[in-house]
């Protein structure tokens, strides 16, 4: 039998960690834990997450109707409920506004891959949803194209949402993501971001599979993808207004695109290797301009 009071205490503890890390200003953010097939514990609206007590936590059903609690449930509960509907394995969802990850949400800059081993193992490719006004079902629906292929998302012009088997695990993914985004910004200020090779990145995916962490890149659907080119969610970029502006893709990814372009073009009599190099060099030059 579940100890609901203990779960509420855990939610309050995560709320304090979110607030102390400056992942949520004032009354930002919300936390939920699914405790039965049709019941979810939910933090209150208009309440600072750093000062929650167990009595503040409400109970809602899977439609969002509040069943108990002295304070009104979060206005963004529908986002959490949609994740639970799409992922039966998930038991907790955390939404907040970590500043470095949210900067990528505002810039709509995709998170570069193949740079930090821990990120490849614990997060993988991180999608950015299209923007929708927070609170309604349309906002909740923005996660549907991605929810089964990742445990953390960036919500365009809004923040992040992450989820897991426990409230602490759900929070971990957000903390890892924001730390990584901060590192990327610092490295960019130093003037260079170095990528891992495709070979070394594959080794990390093999470790990830061995340790039991799921990743779409370890499935047959993506067995021929360019690991370092953000291939998993690239098809969603145009609709969401996402584009690589601040961080250039690795040279290997540009070369791969150039080879595909040359292969699909009519024969010109020009040496194909030289043409690929010319295209690659020009694309990289334009990105750095």
């Amino acid at each position: 039998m579940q100890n609901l009071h203990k779960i509420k205490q855990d939610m309050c503890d995560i709320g304090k960690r979110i607030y102390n890390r400056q992942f949520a200003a004032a009354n930002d953010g919300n936390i939920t834990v699914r405790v039965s097939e049709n019941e979810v514990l939910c933090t209150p609206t208009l309440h600072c997450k750093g000062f929650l007590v167990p009595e503040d936590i409400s109970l809602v059903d899977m439609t969002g109707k509040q069943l108990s609690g002295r304070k009104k449930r979060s206005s963004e509960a529908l986002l959490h409920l949609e994740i639970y509907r799409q992922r039966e394995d998930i038991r907790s969802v955390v939404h907040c506004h970590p500043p470095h990850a949210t900067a990528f949400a505002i810039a709509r800059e995709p998170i570069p891959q193949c740079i930090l081993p821990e990120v490849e193992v614990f997060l993988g490719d991180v999608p950015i949803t299209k923007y929708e006004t927070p609170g309604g079902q349309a906002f909740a629906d923005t996660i549907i194209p991605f929810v089964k292929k990742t445990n953390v998302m960036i919500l365009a012009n809004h923040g992040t949402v992450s989820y897991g088997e426990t409230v602490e695990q759900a929070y971990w993914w957000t903390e890892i993501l924001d730390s990584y985004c901060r590192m990327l910004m610092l490295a960019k200020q130093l003037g260079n971001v170095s990528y891992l090779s495709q070979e070394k990145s594959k080794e990390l995916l093999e470790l990830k599979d061995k340790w039991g962490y799921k990743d779409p890149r370890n499935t047959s659907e993506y067995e021929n993808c360019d690991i370092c080119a953000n291939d998993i969610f690239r098809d969603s970029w145009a609709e969401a207004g996402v584009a690589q502006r601040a961080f250039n893709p690795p040279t290997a990814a540009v070369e791969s695109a150039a080879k595909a372009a040359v292969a699909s073009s009519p024969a010109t009599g020009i040496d194909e290797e030289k043409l690929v190099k010319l295209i690659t060099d020009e694309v990289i030059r334009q990105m750095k301009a």
Side-chain angles (χ1 to χ4, degrees):
M1 184 175 180
Q2 295 188 84
N3 185 333
L4 295 188
H5 185 75
K6 175 61 168 61
I7 295 173
K8 290 179 180 181
Q9 287 180 320
D10 291 342
M11 293 171 70
C12 294
D13 177 61
I14 293 301
K16 288 178 183 176
R17 290 160 70 175
I18 287 171
Y19 185 70
N20 291 338
R21 285 294 296 263
Q22 297 185 338
F23 286 1
N27 60 289
D28 288 352
N30 30 76
I31 305 165
T32 61
V33 174
R34 189 173 189 176
V35 293
S36 73
E37 184 177 347
N38 193 47
E39 294 177 319
V40 175
L41 292 173
C42 182
T43 53
T45 189
L46 298 175
H47 196 299
C48 179
K49 303 309 170 291
F51 300 92
L52 290 170
V53 295
E55 292 72 27
D56 294 327
I57 308 298
S58 64
L59 186 71
V60 303
D61 66 18
M62 285 295 289
T63 70
K65 179 184 177 182
Q66 188 159 333
L67 303 176
S68 66
R70 67 184 188 182
K71 294 187 177 180
K72 186 179 179 181
R73 57 94 164 159
S74 169
S75 60
E76 295 182 354
L78 296 182
L79 175 73
H80 298 236
L81 299 177
E82 190 59 47
I83 291 172
Y84 294 130
R85 277 192 285 271
Q86 298 292 327
R87 291 279 300 270
E88 292 184 358
D89 58 314
I90 295 303
R91 284 293 174 266
S92 182
V93 179
V94 171
H95 162 60
C96 53
H97 306 157
H100 304 93
T102 303
F104 279 76
I106 294 168
R108 302 198 191 180
E109 177 78 24
I111 305 296
Q113 297 297 292
C114 299
I115 294 173
L116 200 68
E118 289 78 6
V119 169
E120 292 305 307
V121 171
F122 292 116
L123 299 186
D125 202 353
V126 178
I128 299 178
T129 68
K130 68 177 182 179
Y131 178 78
E132 187 55 65
T133 303
Q137 187 59 44
F139 171 63
D141 290 345
T142 61
I143 59 90
I144 293 176
F146 316 109
V147 65
K148 293 182 179 179
K149 293 182 178 179
T150 181
N151 291 324
V152 60
M153 291 180 235
I154 291 178
L155 308 171
N157 293 77
H158 190 62
T160 62
V161 63
S162 57
Y163 35 98
E165 296 176 3
T166 66
V167 65
E168 183 167 33
Q169 187 187 65
Y171 165 74
W172 278 351
W173 308 145
T174 290
E175 188 169 292
I176 292 170
L177 176 61
D178 195 69
S179 294
Y180 179 49
C181 289
R182 182 167 182 256
M183 293 174 199
L184 289 169
M185 292 178 177
L186 292 171
K188 180 74 173 178
Q189 290 176 21
L190 289 173
N192 180 60
V193 175
S194 297
Y195 290 84
L196 305 176
S197 67
Q198 182 90 347
E199 178 186 2
K200 292 300 179 184
S201 298
K202 284 183 177 179
E203 289 179 8
L204 291 171
L205 286 182
E206 289 171 2
L207 282 175
K208 187 171 187 174
D209 189 53
K210 180 180 178 181
W211 293 339
Y213 291 104
K214 295 180 180 179
D215 192 301
R217 296 171 295 178
N218 279 331
T219 65
S220 58
E221 183 180 359
Y222 295 99
E223 61 183 348
N224 296 317
C225 77
D226 186 335
I227 294 173
C228 302
N230 299 85
D231 276 355
I232 305 301
F233 304 113
R234 182 176 286 270
D235 290 345
S236 69
W237 287 6
E239 184 180 10
V242 175
Q244 290 171 310
R245 304 176 184 95
F247 292 87
N248 298 334
T251 302
V254 178
E255 287 180 349
S256 177
K259 287 178 181 177
V262 170
S264 64
S265 300
T268 61
I270 300 175
D271 185 294
E272 287 192 3
E273 288 189 13
K274 288 183 178 180
L275 185 56
V276 167
K277 186 177 187 308
L278 285 171
I279 295 173
T280 300
D281 291 346
E282 178 59 19
V283 170
I284 292 175
R285 186 187 72 78
Q286 292 286 349
M287 287 178 171
K288 292 181 178 178

